[in-house]
Amino acid sequence: MSKAMEVPAGLSAGKESSALPAAAALPSESQPPPTKPVQITVVKAQDLKTIKSDVSVTLVCAEYNGAILGDSSKTDVLPNGTANYNFMTSFECSPDGPNSLDDIAQKPVLLTVMEVLQRDKRQKEKTVPLGQAVVDLLPLLQGQCSFKVSAPLYAVPTSPLESLQPEAKGGLEVTVCTEEPLLSAAQLSDGNLLSVTLEAAYSVPEAFVPTGPLQNYMACLQVPAVGEKEFPLLFKNGILKLAGEKEPLPRPKKWPLANIMAPGALSIPNSFIVGGPYEDEDGELNKREDREFRIQAESMKRIVWDMERRCYLDPAAVVSLQKRIAECRYWPVEVCRMSAVSSSKGKTSKADKGDEDKQIFFHGVAYVNMVPLLCPGVKQIRGAFRVFTYQDSEVFEKTRSQHSVFRDLRSQLSLTKEGPWTPGISTPLSRAVPSKTQKEDKEKVTKDKDSNRRMSNAPKIQLSDATVEAENVTCVSLDGQQYVEAGTFLVMEIKLDKALVPKRLREELTRRVKQMIPPRPPLPPRTAGAKKAVEDYHNRVTSIAVAILSEYHELFGKRLPDQGAIDHQTLEEQKRQLNFELNSSGKYFAFKEQLKYAVVKIVREKYLKTTAFETQEQFQAFLSELYVYLVDQMHVALNQLLSEEAASPAPLSRTTEEQLWLFAREAEVNKDYKLASLYHQQRVAQDQRNIQYWLDYGAFCLLLEETTKAQECFQQALSLDPHHIQSLLLCGVAAVVLQHYEEAEIFFEDACCLEPSSIIAWTLSGLFYELQDNNIQAEMAFREAKKLLQAQLAKERSIPEAAEGEGGEKQVSAACVRSPSPGPEECLPERVPGGSADKLPEAVEPALACVAPGEEATALEAVLRAPSPVSGLSQPPCTIFMKAAEFLMKVNAIQFVRMALAHELLSLQGGPSCAYYLALAQTYLLKEDFSKCEECLCEAVRIDYMNPNVWAQKGHLCYLKRDFGEAKECYERTISFVEDAADMHFVYLRLGSIYLEEEEYGRAKQTYLLACKNSASCLTWLGVGIACYRLEEMVEAEDALSEANALNNTNAEVWGYLALICLRGGRQLEAEQCYKYAVKLGLRNDALLREIRAAQQRLGFGNPAF
């Protein structure tokens, strides 16, 4: 009897050939790609006695990707169940196969421990499988060059009827190493790993029954593969289970392998299906009303795969995946049932019989929404997806997919039902031949698939007439309608190793708010309460004394010290005349009225008298006491005046120019234009010779359509520097709005003469001349602007070309609309995301191609006309009109913005860009035309789904429409992007206010702290203070509110919350003072006012009216 382990022809089981790759003998028509050896060392086996107590001699056989790598020498098993093999073998990994990176990702090394049965000398030795283990090679694709694992060893059943426990009973100690990493640094950083887990199909049609001919339940979807091809991920051999208990959770995911004999070895190590609440899923049927249906369906008849397929995506495939998701949000996942009977069975009508076996039955499709994978930081989607009838027109409409995977690959699918292994029939070595055949079929499938996609409407596979007729039937797939009737749905998971769109790393913010508050010089001592009232009385007495002294000097003149003293009688006469003059002129009454308010404050603050006296005696007693006190304090004030002490200097302003600018912008966005105007005036007052302050104030006046006032501001800036280009242009813009066209022409001409290299100056001049119907001058100005832009782009293009020549990464010019600086001419190069370094931004003007001579011009034109990459960091076209629109939007010149955008729309050949729609949406948002703004933003999202500015603007739109739920989602997506939006400050402010409204105080505090870290203001610290107060963090709340008050002591809401904190702390006088300031400053928050008054009523203090 020959040895059961029969080695295929061309391979030897000896050690000498064990390290040879499976395809080493294949001829190569061209230079083979570089291969990298992967070495596997099986050190030892442990606990073999737990599998079989009397095992004495074993060997280990290694297999990978259907080929035998070799087997170890026979080794005795020690009494403790250990067998020391020290067996080394290897295979070659090559990008083009047979052992490609895709194979490394989804195929493990299969190790089979064989027991060597001792026979007498007349009989040959026999080996039978004892246990199997698998080693996952995925760490090699995660940057590791070597790793060591203890692979669980699972027992192999001795007969098909034997049922084994899934737990491992032994282990193999295995090391895997490579001489160099399988992935380069670029592949490791820019590539990705995609894994798809198909769990089960629930609520399947009634026609699915376990009796009758064997059936193969399959599902398939296509993903971009290496070289931007599409590779089918096929899930076969789904198990039809009858109604019963639900599938357990967690349960292991399974390898997509058919040659594993030990059932436990099918489980992927450390990879489980864990499930979760239906409401947290990403697919369909995740609403509360679907819960009962889901629970019932999971315990009824179902098809279970629990299978995971992996795929390595190189950088080009990652870009292709990202682009395809952006272009078409739904991906088709096809399901079907096909006969599992081999087509070679039955000799009659062989062709017809084979075609009949290859027919597709119950052809359905599920549409998986892949868009969540484009959200920042999202790496996986999992959920239930309904199965619909497969109809070509509907599939194409939803997914843009023109081919059915099953129909394309029908003739190549191996549909033989693969049952469990039976001793004496098959061994791991004898299975190497059909596995190799499957591998060759896979290569043929990929080649056929590529050729099929190049065909339009021709038949994909040349089959018999019967098969073509069957194909026409499956286009409608009448039996697939049963999926819809039964409510069938797939549960699957799609997971990436790295997010397609990276998410901003959340910085650890200090828990103590006080540590985030910047150090400040000590505030000058400020009095409050009674002390403040007495000081006010002193100041009033002093001012009245000075006024009376002036009256005295007017009547009698100033008497010098050397003129001697005045006698008593003269003084009395002067006093009488002075009293007569004050009374007759009404000044005495005026002085008394000035003093009255100060006296009232002393009554309220020092004596706390705010209610009527009960008796006249009490009233008279109080007046006597008050009179004495007021006279004493009057003497104190007069003595201080006569002592001629130098007054302390007024404290310097602690508000910087940047803070005033931020406060003004906040007030503008909140439509508090009176406060915004005050801040602009304060900026100008701080430095009246600062040109930018005047320009900002003028732009604010343009926003309010106060054009005359804006013109005055621009002219004031121009008077400070007659050669300032921006001032000249804005004076021209204001003159056009006021219809002073002759003045406007002078300003624009002057700007172009002073700065002939200014693209903005020439473009605005052209827009002005066009407004005057001077088409010749307009055309000349536009041509000059385009010429300057061409030169600028050519200069920037030379930078990445030089870097490429030196081996560096390419760079491209950044989009001008993303520039945060106010300068109109800045367009500096920025880095391009990995995988798209050879792409320049799309330019609109065809004339751009003429800047490079010869062949370079043709290449540049081809590149510039290519569509922009689908990426959140992709840059829109940089044209003269978009540069002008960006400049004009910053100064609120809406009339000129729309003129520039109209030209942009006419000049574009490939359709409007994302930047165009974004700028147009901003103009509509300023005019509160929400419907048109929403239309523009929808188009912008469609063009560039990962642009943070688009999501920020969409959030602002929803916020102004009071659709706070949608606004919250948009803002959360905006702050998740690595790249900041242009107006992050207002994103943080509004998102924080939504969190406060929804009582998510922890998230509100975190959001406001981010705003404080980037650009602190009264409103940001107010948000922190409110969140901390609601979280019962009183110390931090007071610190934050104090900082808010230091930045703006006229905010009534800050005073209101300070009053609440003082009430909670039992600080009576401070609570009363804060409350009075809140009311005096006009607190408009009715809910806060009611809360304060309720606390005052409950505690019995804090309100002077009590």
Side-chain angles (χ1 to χ4, degrees), residues 934-972:
E934 186 171 9
E935 293 175 5
C936 293
L937 290 177
C938 288
E939 289 298 316
V941 168
R942 181 185 60 81
I943 295 172
D944 192 350
Y945 192 84
M946 290 166 288
N947 189 325
N949 287 311
V950 176
W951 289 105
Q953 287 299 318
K954 190 173 182 182
H956 296 330
L957 172 65
C958 297
Y959 187 90
L960 294 177
K961 291 170 61 179
R962 305 193 67 79
D963 184 0
F964 296 128
E966 184 69 20
K968 175 182 171 183
E969 292 182 7
C970 294
Y971 287 146
E972 288 176 339

Coordinates of all heavy atoms in Angstrom, one line a residue, residues 934-972:
E934 N -29.4 76.9 -0.3 CA -29.4 75.5 -0.2 C -29.1 74.7 -1.5 O -28.4 73.8 -1.5 CB -30.7 75.0 0.4 CG -30.8 73.5 0.8 CD -32.1 73.2 1.5 OE1 -33.0 74.0 1.6 OE2 -32.1 72.0 2.0
E935 N -29.7 75.3 -2.6 CA -29.4 74.7 -3.9 C -28.0 74.7 -4.2 O -27.4 73.7 -4.7 CB -30.3 75.4 -5.0 CG -31.8 75.2 -4.8 CD -32.5 76.1 -5.8 OE1 -31.9 76.7 -6.7 OE2 -33.8 76.1 -5.8
C936 N -27.3 75.8 -4.0 CA -25.9 76.0 -4.3 C -25.1 75.0 -3.4 O -24.1 74.4 -3.9 CB -25.5 77.4 -4.1 SG -26.2 78.6 -5.2
L937 N -25.4 74.9 -2.2 CA -24.6 74.1 -1.3 C -24.8 72.6 -1.6 O -23.9 71.8 -1.5 CB -25.0 74.3 0.2 CG -24.6 75.7 0.7 CD1 -25.1 75.9 2.2 CD2 -23.1 75.8 0.7
C938 N -26.0 72.2 -2.1 CA -26.2 70.8 -2.5 C -25.3 70.5 -3.7 O -24.7 69.4 -3.8 CB -27.6 70.6 -2.9 SG -28.7 70.5 -1.5
E939 N -25.1 71.4 -4.6 CA -24.2 71.2 -5.8 C -22.8 71.2 -5.3 O -22.0 70.4 -5.8 CB -24.4 72.4 -6.8 CG -25.7 72.3 -7.6 CD -25.8 71.0 -8.4 OE1 -24.9 70.6 -9.0 OE2 -26.9 70.4 -8.3
A940 N -22.4 72.1 -4.3 CA -21.1 72.1 -3.8 C -20.7 70.7 -3.2 O -19.6 70.2 -3.3 CB -20.9 73.2 -2.9
V941 N -21.7 70.2 -2.4 CA -21.5 68.9 -1.7 C -21.3 67.8 -2.8 O -20.4 66.9 -2.6 CB -22.6 68.6 -0.8 CG1 -22.6 67.1 -0.3 CG2 -22.6 69.5 0.4
R942 N -22.1 67.9 -3.8 CA -22.0 66.8 -4.9 C -20.6 66.9 -5.5 O -20.0 65.8 -5.8 CB -23.1 67.1 -5.9 CG -23.1 66.1 -7.0 CD -24.1 66.4 -8.1 NE -23.8 67.7 -8.7 CZ -22.9 67.9 -9.7 NH1 -22.2 66.9 -10.1 NH2 -22.7 69.1 -10.2
I943 N -20.0 68.1 -5.7 CA -18.7 68.2 -6.4 C -17.6 67.8 -5.5 O -16.7 67.1 -5.9 CB -18.6 69.6 -7.0 CG1 -19.6 69.9 -8.0 CG2 -17.2 69.8 -7.5 CD1 -19.7 71.3 -8.5
D944 N -17.6 68.3 -4.3 CA -16.5 68.1 -3.3 C -17.1 67.7 -2.0 O -17.3 68.6 -1.1 CB -15.6 69.3 -3.2 CG -14.3 69.0 -2.5 OD1 -14.2 67.9 -1.9 OD2 -13.4 69.9 -2.5
Y945 N -17.3 66.4 -1.8 CA -18.0 65.9 -0.6 C -17.2 66.2 0.7 O -17.7 66.2 1.8 CB -18.3 64.5 -0.8 CG -19.3 63.9 0.2 CD1 -20.7 64.0 0.0 CD2 -18.8 63.2 1.4 CE1 -21.6 63.5 1.0 CE2 -19.7 62.7 2.3 CZ -21.1 62.9 2.1 OH -22.0 62.4 3.0
M946 N -15.9 66.3 0.6 CA -15.0 66.4 1.7 C -14.4 67.8 1.9 O -13.3 67.9 2.5 CB -13.9 65.3 1.6 CG -14.4 63.9 1.8 SD -13.3 62.7 1.3 CE -13.3 62.9 -0.5
N947 N -15.1 68.8 1.5 CA -14.7 70.2 1.7 C -15.2 70.7 3.0 O -16.4 70.9 3.1 CB -15.1 71.0 0.5 CG -14.5 72.4 0.5 OD1 -14.3 73.0 1.5 ND2 -14.3 72.9 -0.7
P948 N -14.4 71.0 4.0 CA -14.9 71.4 5.3 C -15.7 72.8 5.2 O -16.6 73.0 5.9 CB -13.7 71.6 6.1 CG -12.5 71.6 5.2 CD -12.9 70.9 4.0
N949 N -15.3 73.6 4.2 CA -16.0 74.9 4.1 C -17.4 74.7 3.6 O -18.3 75.5 4.0 CB -15.3 75.8 3.1 CG -14.0 76.4 3.6 OD1 -13.9 76.9 4.8 ND2 -12.9 76.2 2.9
V950 N -17.7 73.7 2.8 CA -19.0 73.5 2.3 C -19.9 73.0 3.5 O -21.0 73.5 3.7 CB -19.0 72.4 1.2 CG1 -20.4 72.1 0.8 CG2 -18.2 72.9 0.0
W951 N -19.4 72.1 4.3 CA -20.2 71.6 5.4 C -20.4 72.7 6.5 O -21.4 72.8 7.1 CB -19.5 70.4 6.0 CG -19.6 69.2 5.1 CD1 -18.6 68.7 4.4 CD2 -20.7 68.4 4.9 NE1 -19.1 67.6 3.7 CE2 -20.4 67.4 4.0 CE3 -22.1 68.4 5.3 CZ2 -21.3 66.5 3.5 CZ3 -22.9 67.5 4.9 CH2 -22.5 66.5 4.0
A952 N -19.4 73.6 6.6 CA -19.6 74.7 7.6 C -20.7 75.6 7.1 O -21.6 76.0 7.9 CB -18.3 75.5 7.7
Q953 N -20.7 76.0 5.8 CA -21.7 76.8 5.3 C -23.1 76.2 5.4 O -24.1 76.8 5.7 CB -21.4 77.2 3.8 CG -20.3 78.2 3.7 CD -20.6 79.5 4.4 OE1 -21.7 80.0 4.3 NE2 -19.6 80.1 5.1
K954 N -23.1 74.9 5.1 CA -24.4 74.2 5.2 C -24.9 74.2 6.7 O -26.1 74.3 6.9 CB -24.2 72.7 4.7 CG -25.6 72.0 4.5 CD -25.4 70.7 3.9 CE -26.8 70.0 3.7 NZ -26.6 68.6 3.1
G955 N -24.0 74.1 7.6 CA -24.3 74.1 9.0 C -24.9 75.5 9.4 O -25.9 75.6 10.1
H956 N -24.3 76.6 8.8 CA -24.8 77.9 9.1 C -26.2 78.1 8.5 O -27.0 78.7 9.1 CB -23.8 79.0 8.5 CG -22.4 79.0 9.1 ND1 -22.2 78.6 10.4 CD2 -21.2 79.3 8.6 CE1 -20.9 78.8 10.7 NE2 -20.3 79.1 9.6
L957 N -26.4 77.6 7.3 CA -27.7 77.7 6.7 C -28.7 77.0 7.6 O -29.8 77.6 7.8 CB -27.6 77.1 5.3 CG -29.0 76.9 4.6 CD1 -29.6 78.3 4.3 CD2 -28.8 76.1 3.3
C958 N -28.5 75.8 8.0 CA -29.4 75.1 8.8 C -29.6 75.8 10.1 O -30.8 75.8 10.7 CB -29.0 73.6 9.0 SG -28.9 72.7 7.5
Y959 N -28.6 76.3 10.7 CA -28.7 77.0 12.0 C -29.6 78.3 11.8 O -30.5 78.5 12.7 CB -27.3 77.5 12.4 CG -27.3 78.1 13.8 CD1 -27.1 77.3 14.9 CD2 -27.4 79.4 14.0 CE1 -27.0 77.8 16.2 CE2 -27.4 80.0 15.3 CZ -27.2 79.2 16.4 OH -27.2 79.7 17.6
L960 N -29.4 79.0 10.8 CA -30.3 80.2 10.6 C -31.7 79.8 10.2 O -32.7 80.5 10.6 CB -29.7 81.0 9.4 CG -28.4 81.7 9.7 CD1 -27.8 82.5 8.5 CD2 -28.4 82.6 10.9
K961 N -31.9 78.6 9.7 CA -33.3 78.1 9.4 C -33.8 77.5 10.7 O -35.0 76.9 10.6 CB -33.2 77.1 8.3 CG -32.9 77.7 6.9 CD -32.7 76.7 5.8 CE -33.9 75.8 5.6 NZ -33.6 74.8 4.6
R962 N -33.0 77.4 11.7 CA -33.4 76.8 13.0 C -33.6 75.3 12.9 O -34.4 74.7 13.7 CB -34.7 77.5 13.6 CG -34.5 79.0 13.7 CD -35.6 79.6 14.6 NE -35.5 79.2 16.0 CZ -34.7 79.6 16.9 NH1 -33.9 80.6 16.5 NH2 -34.7 79.2 18.1
D963 N -33.0 74.7 11.9 CA -33.0 73.2 11.8 C -31.7 72.8 12.5 O -30.7 72.4 11.9 CB -32.9 72.8 10.3 CG -33.0 71.3 10.2 OD1 -33.1 70.6 11.2 OD2 -33.0 70.8 9.0
F964 N -31.8 72.8 13.9 CA -30.6 72.6 14.7 C -30.1 71.1 14.6 O -28.9 70.9 14.8 CB -30.9 72.9 16.1 CG -31.2 74.4 16.3 CD1 -32.4 74.8 17.0 CD2 -30.4 75.4 15.8 CE1 -32.7 76.1 17.1 CE2 -30.7 76.7 15.9 CZ -31.9 77.1 16.6
G965 N -30.9 70.2 14.4 CA -30.5 68.8 14.2 C -29.5 68.6 13.0 O -28.5 68.0 13.2
E966 N -30.0 69.1 11.9 CA -29.1 69.1 10.7 C -27.9 69.9 10.8 O -26.8 69.5 10.4 CB -29.9 69.5 9.5 CG -29.2 69.4 8.2 CD -29.0 67.9 7.7 OE1 -29.7 67.0 8.2 OE2 -28.1 67.7 6.9
A967 N -28.0 71.1 11.5 CA -26.9 72.0 11.7 C -25.8 71.3 12.6 O -24.6 71.4 12.3 CB -27.3 73.3 12.3
K968 N -26.3 70.6 13.6 CA -25.4 69.9 14.5 C -24.6 68.8 13.7 O -23.4 68.7 13.9 CB -26.2 69.2 15.6 CG -25.4 68.4 16.5 CD -26.3 67.7 17.6 CE -25.6 66.7 18.4 NZ -26.5 66.0 19.3
E969 N -25.2 68.0 12.8 CA -24.5 67.0 12.1 C -23.5 67.7 11.1 O -22.4 67.2 11.0 CB -25.5 66.2 11.2 CG -26.4 65.4 12.1 CD -27.4 64.5 11.2 OE1 -27.2 64.6 10.0 OE2 -28.3 63.9 11.8
C970 N -23.8 68.8 10.5 CA -22.9 69.5 9.6 C -21.7 70.0 10.4 O -20.6 69.9 9.9 CB -23.6 70.6 8.9 SG -24.9 70.0 7.7
Y971 N -22.0 70.6 11.5 CA -20.9 71.2 12.3 C -20.0 70.1 12.8 O -18.7 70.3 12.9 CB -21.4 72.0 13.5 CG -22.1 73.3 13.1 CD1 -23.1 73.9 13.7 CD2 -21.5 74.1 12.0 CE1 -23.7 75.1 13.4 CE2 -22.1 75.3 11.6 CZ -23.2 75.8 12.3 OH -23.7 77.0 12.0
E972 N -20.5 69.0 13.3 CA -19.7 67.9 13.8 C -18.8 67.3 12.7 O -17.7 67.0 13.0 CB -20.6 66.8 14.4 CG -21.2 67.2 15.7 CD -22.2 66.2 16.3 OE1 -22.7 65.3 15.5 OE2 -22.5 66.2 17.5

